[in-house]
PDB file of all heavy atoms in Angstrom:
ATOM      1  N   TYR A 119    -100.280 135.392 138.470  1.00 98.00           N
ATOM      2  CA  TYR A 119    -100.724 136.610 139.148  1.00 98.00           C
ATOM      3  C   TYR A 119    -100.045 137.852 138.569  1.00 98.00           C
ATOM      4  O   TYR A 119    -100.653 138.919 138.510  1.00 98.00           O
ATOM      5  CB  TYR A 119    -100.351 136.555 140.627  1.00 98.00           C
ATOM      6  CG  TYR A 119    -101.216 135.722 141.535  1.00 98.00           C
ATOM      7  CD1 TYR A 119    -101.284 134.339 141.411  1.00 98.00           C
ATOM      8  CD2 TYR A 119    -101.940 136.308 142.573  1.00 98.00           C
ATOM      9  CE1 TYR A 119    -102.041 133.565 142.274  1.00 98.00           C
ATOM     10  CE2 TYR A 119    -102.698 135.555 143.450  1.00 98.00           C
ATOM     11  CZ  TYR A 119    -102.752 134.178 143.300  1.00 98.00           C
ATOM     12  OH  TYR A 119    -103.501 133.419 144.170  1.00 98.00           O
ATOM     13  N   ASP A 120     -98.783 137.709 138.164  1.00 97.00           N
ATOM     14  CA  ASP A 120     -97.968 138.874 137.815  1.00 97.00           C
ATOM     15  C   ASP A 120     -97.604 138.907 136.336  1.00 97.00           C
ATOM     16  O   ASP A 120     -98.303 139.490 135.527  1.00 97.00           O
ATOM     17  CB  ASP A 120     -96.688 138.879 138.670  1.00 97.00           C
ATOM     18  CG  ASP A 120     -96.957 139.007 140.162  1.00 97.00           C
ATOM     19  OD1 ASP A 120     -98.059 139.451 140.543  1.00 97.00           O
ATOM     20  OD2 ASP A 120     -96.067 138.654 140.953  1.00 97.00           O
ATOM     21  N   ILE A 121     -96.527 138.242 135.970  1.00 97.00           N
ATOM     22  CA  ILE A 121     -95.942 138.386 134.638  1.00 97.00           C
ATOM     23  C   ILE A 121     -96.877 137.895 133.536  1.00 97.00           C
ATOM     24  O   ILE A 121     -96.939 138.473 132.460  1.00 97.00           O
ATOM     25  CB  ILE A 121     -94.590 137.652 134.574  1.00 97.00           C
ATOM     26  CG1 ILE A 121     -93.612 138.263 135.593  1.00 97.00           C
ATOM     27  CG2 ILE A 121     -93.986 137.746 133.175  1.00 97.00           C
ATOM     28  CD1 ILE A 121     -92.311 137.498 135.736  1.00 97.00           C
ATOM     29  N   GLY A 122     -97.619 136.816 133.800  1.00 97.00           N
ATOM     30  CA  GLY A 122     -98.491 136.268 132.768  1.00 97.00           C
ATOM     31  C   GLY A 122     -99.930 136.731 132.847  1.00 97.00           C
ATOM     32  O   GLY A 122    -100.786 136.212 132.114  1.00 97.00           O
ATOM     33  N   PHE A 123    -100.213 137.720 133.704  1.00 98.00           N
ATOM     34  CA  PHE A 123    -101.613 138.089 133.930  1.00 98.00           C
ATOM     35  C   PHE A 123    -102.276 138.661 132.674  1.00 98.00           C
ATOM     36  O   PHE A 123    -103.454 138.402 132.420  1.00 98.00           O
ATOM     37  CB  PHE A 123    -101.727 139.097 135.077  1.00 98.00           C
ATOM     38  CG  PHE A 123    -103.149 139.510 135.348  1.00 98.00           C
ATOM     39  CD1 PHE A 123    -104.025 138.640 135.970  1.00 98.00           C
ATOM     40  CD2 PHE A 123    -103.626 140.748 134.948  1.00 98.00           C
ATOM     41  CE1 PHE A 123    -105.349 138.997 136.197  1.00 98.00           C
ATOM     42  CE2 PHE A 123    -104.939 141.119 135.173  1.00 98.00           C
ATOM     43  CZ  PHE A 123    -105.802 140.235 135.801  1.00 98.00           C
ATOM     44  N   GLN A 124    -101.547 139.415 131.879  1.00 97.00           N
ATOM     45  CA  GLN A 124    -102.146 140.047 130.693  1.00 97.00           C
ATOM     46  C   GLN A 124    -102.660 139.000 129.712  1.00 97.00           C
ATOM     47  O   GLN A 124    -103.812 139.069 129.258  1.00 97.00           O
ATOM     48  CB  GLN A 124    -101.130 140.946 130.002  1.00 97.00           C
ATOM     49  CG  GLN A 124    -101.679 141.644 128.768  1.00 97.00           C
ATOM     50  CD  GLN A 124    -100.685 142.631 128.165  1.00 97.00           C
ATOM     51  OE1 GLN A 124     -99.797 143.120 128.850  1.00 97.00           O
ATOM     52  NE2 GLN A 124    -100.819 142.907 126.897  1.00 97.00           N
ATOM     53  N   SER A 125    -101.835 137.982 129.398  1.00 97.00           N
ATOM     54  CA  SER A 125    -102.286 136.971 128.434  1.00 97.00           C
ATOM     55  C   SER A 125    -103.345 136.065 129.054  1.00 97.00           C
ATOM     56  O   SER A 125    -104.256 135.584 128.351  1.00 97.00           O
ATOM     57  CB  SER A 125    -101.106 136.142 127.913  1.00 97.00           C
ATOM     58  OG  SER A 125    -100.526 135.363 128.925  1.00 97.00           O
ATOM     59  N   LEU A 126    -103.269 135.818 130.359  1.00 98.00           N
ATOM     60  CA  LEU A 126    -104.311 135.052 131.043  1.00 98.00           C
ATOM     61  C   LEU A 126    -105.640 135.786 130.984  1.00 98.00           C
ATOM     62  O   LEU A 126    -106.672 135.208 130.636  1.00 98.00           O
ATOM     63  CB  LEU A 126    -103.913 134.810 132.503  1.00 98.00           C
ATOM     64  CG  LEU A 126    -105.019 134.315 133.438  1.00 98.00           C
ATOM     65  CD1 LEU A 126    -105.548 132.956 132.998  1.00 98.00           C
ATOM     66  CD2 LEU A 126    -104.527 134.269 134.876  1.00 98.00           C
ATOM     67  N   SER A 127    -105.631 137.075 131.291  1.00 98.00           N
ATOM     68  CA  SER A 127    -106.848 137.882 131.276  1.00 98.00           C
ATOM     69  C   SER A 127    -107.471 137.891 129.891  1.00 98.00           C
ATOM     70  O   SER A 127    -108.687 137.740 129.726  1.00 98.00           O
ATOM     71  CB  SER A 127    -106.538 139.314 131.734  1.00 98.00           C
ATOM     72  OG  SER A 127    -107.683 140.131 131.670  1.00 98.00           O
ATOM     73  N   GLY A 128    -106.639 138.032 128.858  1.00 98.00           N
ATOM     74  CA  GLY A 128    -107.145 138.035 127.485  1.00 98.00           C
ATOM     75  C   GLY A 128    -107.793 136.717 127.113  1.00 98.00           C
ATOM     76  O   GLY A 128    -108.880 136.683 126.516  1.00 98.00           O
ATOM     77  N   ALA A 129    -107.137 135.609 127.466  1.00 98.00           N
ATOM     78  CA  ALA A 129    -107.685 134.285 127.141  1.00 98.00           C
ATOM     79  C   ALA A 129    -109.009 134.051 127.851  1.00 98.00           C
ATOM     80  O   ALA A 129    -109.952 133.503 127.268  1.00 98.00           O
ATOM     81  CB  ALA A 129    -106.680 133.195 127.519  1.00 98.00           C
ATOM     82  N   MET A 130    -109.092 134.470 129.109  1.00 98.00           N
ATOM     83  CA  MET A 130    -110.332 134.297 129.874  1.00 98.00           C
ATOM     84  C   MET A 130    -111.449 135.179 129.317  1.00 98.00           C
ATOM     85  O   MET A 130    -112.587 134.744 129.147  1.00 98.00           O
ATOM     86  CB  MET A 130    -110.086 134.630 131.351  1.00 98.00           C
ATOM     87  CG  MET A 130    -109.132 133.700 132.080  1.00 98.00           C
ATOM     88  SD  MET A 130    -109.747 132.002 132.330  1.00 98.00           S
ATOM     89  CE  MET A 130    -108.847 131.102 131.055  1.00 98.00           C
ATOM     90  N   GLU A 131    -111.121 136.416 129.005  1.00 98.00           N
ATOM     91  CA  GLU A 131    -112.131 137.353 128.493  1.00 98.00           C
ATOM     92  C   GLU A 131    -112.686 136.901 127.146  1.00 98.00           C
ATOM     93  O   GLU A 131    -113.874 137.043 126.871  1.00 98.00           O
ATOM     94  CB  GLU A 131    -111.520 138.759 128.390  1.00 98.00           C
ATOM     95  CG  GLU A 131    -112.491 139.855 127.979  1.00 98.00           C
ATOM     96  CD  GLU A 131    -112.584 140.027 126.466  1.00 98.00           C
ATOM     97  OE1 GLU A 131    -111.608 139.690 125.768  1.00 98.00           O
ATOM     98  OE2 GLU A 131    -113.644 140.480 126.000  1.00 98.00           O
ATOM     99  N   ARG A 132    -111.821 136.298 126.310  1.00 98.00           N
ATOM    100  CA  ARG A 132    -112.284 135.830 124.995  1.00 98.00           C
ATOM    101  C   ARG A 132    -113.091 134.538 125.097  1.00 98.00           C
ATOM    102  O   ARG A 132    -113.770 134.163 124.155  1.00 98.00           O
ATOM    103  CB  ARG A 132    -111.077 135.626 124.062  1.00 98.00           C
ATOM    104  CG  ARG A 132    -110.395 136.930 123.650  1.00 98.00           C
ATOM    105  CD  ARG A 132    -109.363 136.692 122.555  1.00 98.00           C
ATOM    106  NE  ARG A 132    -108.303 135.787 122.965  1.00 98.00           N
ATOM    107  CZ  ARG A 132    -107.171 136.155 123.560  1.00 98.00           C
ATOM    108  NH1 ARG A 132    -106.960 137.436 123.853  1.00 98.00           N
ATOM    109  NH2 ARG A 132    -106.251 135.257 123.878  1.00 98.00           N
TER     110      ARG A 132
END
Side-chain angles (χ1 to χ4, degrees):
Y119 282 66
D120 297 341
I121 299 173
F123 180 74
Q124 180 175 336
S125 66
L126 166 62
S127 177
M130 295 292 103
E131 185 271 334
R132 291 189 299 271

